[in-house]
Amino acid sequence: MAIDQAEAVSRDGVPDRRYFRTPATAPGPSGPQMLARLREIRSDPLGFLQRMTQVYGPVVQFPIPSPASYLVADPAAVRRVLVDRSRAYDKATVQYRSLSLVTGEGLLTTSGDIWRRQRRMVQPAFHRASLEAVVGHAAAATEELLVRWGDTSRGAVIDIDEAMMRVALETVAASLFGTDLSSDADRLARATLEALDVVVSSAQIPVRLPAWTPSQRSLRRATRELDEAVHRMVQRRLAETAPRADLLGLLVAALDGEDPIPLREVRDELVSFMVAGHETAASALTWALWLLAGDPVSQQHAIVEVDEVLGGRSIRGDDLPNLAYLRAVIDEAMRLYPPVWLVTRRAMEPDVLGGREIPADSLVIMTPYLAQRDPRMWPEPERFDPERFLGEQRGGAADDAAYWPFGLGPRMCVGKDFAYLESISVLASLLQHVRVERVPGEPDPRAVPLVTLRPAGALPLIVRPR
Ligand code: HEM
């Protein structure tokens, strides 16, 4: 959809200053233009961002009085913010502040020295050796799922989004907290999702809601449930005699370690990891299955690989390097549907991005979605083609900022290896037994960018035994 540039941009290429209290330093839409597009922003925010860069270029300023807010799409500028000058940008943004209403002060949302200490503390739980168990947990969760589905011989219509949320929850809870679903991990996940729902929907209303509104009450209830579930998980772990090397084990050991952390921090990290590691992996898997269901040739490739490598037995950690096609399927799904669609930073000092001045305190908005669907870097960007990630081409375009579903720089996803182990194991364990098909007549799902990029409503697929 074309946007009338003349209305928004004055002759020097920057927006009409009437709509700004902060200086206008980059082109962008005017206030009235933004208002006229509110419905589009709500219904198709990613399409809106794409159109903004098509009209105004790789750095777009939004008519927001404070803080000055920029959409930054230029790969070199994204690399500057996230990698080269990462210490000059922190996470004190509206996005991370909203998340921290649920997560508290955990690794996902903190900045500076606190973040550095937290990252050092949890890192050992994400080394390759500590992650070996992820494959077994993911396979077990998938096998349970197949049992629950029962007889699919006549083709069962399954909500894949719900199924992948469950598998991802079981995998993350078993791997990081050493719990199974009969215990508090289920309540922890439910309460986390409930709290996030409130936070995401209130973030769309630009006023602070009073404490008595139903949504604020359910936020308080969910937060209380979170605290209780974590408390019980910690108490049970403290009662065990043998230490464990998972995330919960590391955190519990730190309670009375050399540099002791308070119980509050254990709670905040557990919730942060639930937020960061559950829905993200589920989103990657859901889109991967939906794309495979629409492309029988790619699905057949994947099935042949699974049969060659596994030959009918359950997946093991040492199979992963041989499942290159499955990994390419996951990579390609995350290219088209990056689970973490929004990455924001606050400029702690003035900078210049893509030739535009960025004042201190500005909000910088970035999304891998734009680079990953850019036809200059990805031929036929809308087409699902796992081959892009095979052989010489592995990793897609040469520029790392052309493909960054796990972020870039020091704050890159700490769970990246975990996510690959999990998603490849789940896909392999599923495709060993079943095929997926699209439901005839069912419209394509709309991708809604909430905390992660998820299908709006359920995502039904037909599941049949192979
Ligand atoms: C396909 C799945 C996943 C995707 C696409 C993903 C993506 C990301 C991205 C883009 C970031 C950086 C955000 C930023 O720079 O603002 C991030 C950070 C993070 N991720 Fe993931 N993630 C995934 C799975 C996981 C899993 C499974 C875990 C844990 C088990 C996890 C834990 C975290 C944590 C704790 C951070 C914050 C790291 C830090 O700031 O030091 N993620 N993730």
Side-chain angles (χ1 to χ4, degrees), residues 130-197:
S130 319
L131 291 180
E132 257 165 31
V134 174
V135 173
H137 291 310
T142 313
E143 278 151 25
E144 264 174 46
L145 189 68
L146 289 163
V147 171
R148 260 200 308 276
W149 286 347
D151 179 10
T152 53
S153 55
R154 295 170 62 193
V157 177
I158 304 280
D159 178 0
I160 287 295
D161 182 48
E162 198 241 59
M164 291 304 108
M165 282 294 274
R166 187 162 186 106
V167 164
L169 167 63
E170 291 182 14
T171 309
V172 99
S175 311
L176 298 183
F177 316 147
T179 53
D180 62 53
L181 262 197
S182 52
S183 70
D184 286 309
D186 199 14
R187 299 185 55 194
L188 179 63
R190 237 182 327 106
T192 305
L193 292 176
E194 198 183 320
L196 283 178
D197 253 7

Side-chain angles (χ1 to χ4, degrees), residues 187-396:
R187 299 185 55 194
L188 179 63
R190 237 182 327 106
T192 305
L193 292 176
E194 198 183 320
L196 283 178
D197 253 7
V198 177
V199 166
V200 169
S201 42
S202 15
Q204 291 164 351
I205 307 169
V207 289
R208 205 189 166 97
L209 292 172
W212 49 262
T213 54
S215 68
Q216 292 304 300
R217 276 213 302 270
S218 58
L219 178 61
R220 277 200 304 280
R221 193 184 51 241
T223 314
R224 213 169 33 243
E225 250 197 71
L226 276 182
D227 292 349
E228 286 164 10
V230 170
H231 185 70
R232 279 192 299 271
M233 277 163 66
V234 171
Q235 291 311 316
R236 254 204 311 278
R237 186 58 75 90
L238 283 171
E240 289 179 8
T241 42
R244 292 203 240 169
D246 57 13
L247 179 73
L248 180 56
L250 278 180
L251 294 170
V252 166
L255 280 171
D256 54 6
E258 244 173 60
D259 188 8
I261 61 167
L263 192 56
R264 177 88 207 161
E265 194 170 325
V266 178
R267 177 258 180 230
D268 290 353
E269 291 300 8
L270 292 188
V271 177
S272 299
F273 275 86
M274 194 55 110
V275 170
H278 172 205
E279 210 181 296
T280 44
S283 157
L285 277 163
T286 297
W287 291 116
L289 284 165
W290 185 73
L291 290 162
L292 283 178
D295 181 358
V297 175
S298 299
Q299 186 167 178
Q300 188 55 29
H301 258 120
I303 286 174
V304 168
E305 181 177 86
V306 168
D307 287 352
E308 268 173 20
V309 176
L310 302 186
R313 62 167 169 76
S314 291
I315 187 168
R316 296 188 307 245
D318 59 355
D319 293 321
L320 270 288
N322 301 322
L323 293 167
Y325 194 81
L326 286 199
R327 180 173 163 136
V329 167
I330 296 289
D331 279 334
E332 177 69 343
M334 290 191 301
R335 182 184 70 79
L336 285 165
Y337 297 100
V340 174
W341 64 281
L342 178 69
V343 169
T344 56
R345 293 292 188 269
R346 176 185 70 117
M348 295 158 72
E349 50 192 65
D351 200 359
V352 176
L353 296 176
R356 304 288 176 183
E357 276 173 40
I358 306 291
D361 271 334
S362 295
L363 171 69
V364 176
I365 302 165
M366 293 158 289
T367 168
Y369 186 90
L370 294 177
Q372 292 175 187
R373 288 190 181 227
D374 187 330
R376 288 166 300 182
M377 295 179 264
W378 301 93
E380 291 186 78
E382 311 293 319
R383 194 161 66 86
F384 173 63
D385 178 13
E387 304 276 335
R388 298 179 202 269
F389 286 90
L390 289 175
E392 286 293 289
Q393 307 168 46
R394 236 228 76 74

Side-chain angles (χ1 to χ4, degrees), residues 91 96 107 115 119 276-277 280 340 345 405-407 411 413 418:
K91 284 197 172 181
Y96 282 112
L107 185 65
W115 165 75
R119 179 107 183 186
T280 44
V340 174
R345 293 292 188 269
F406 291 102
R411 300 221 58 165
C413 180
F418 185 119

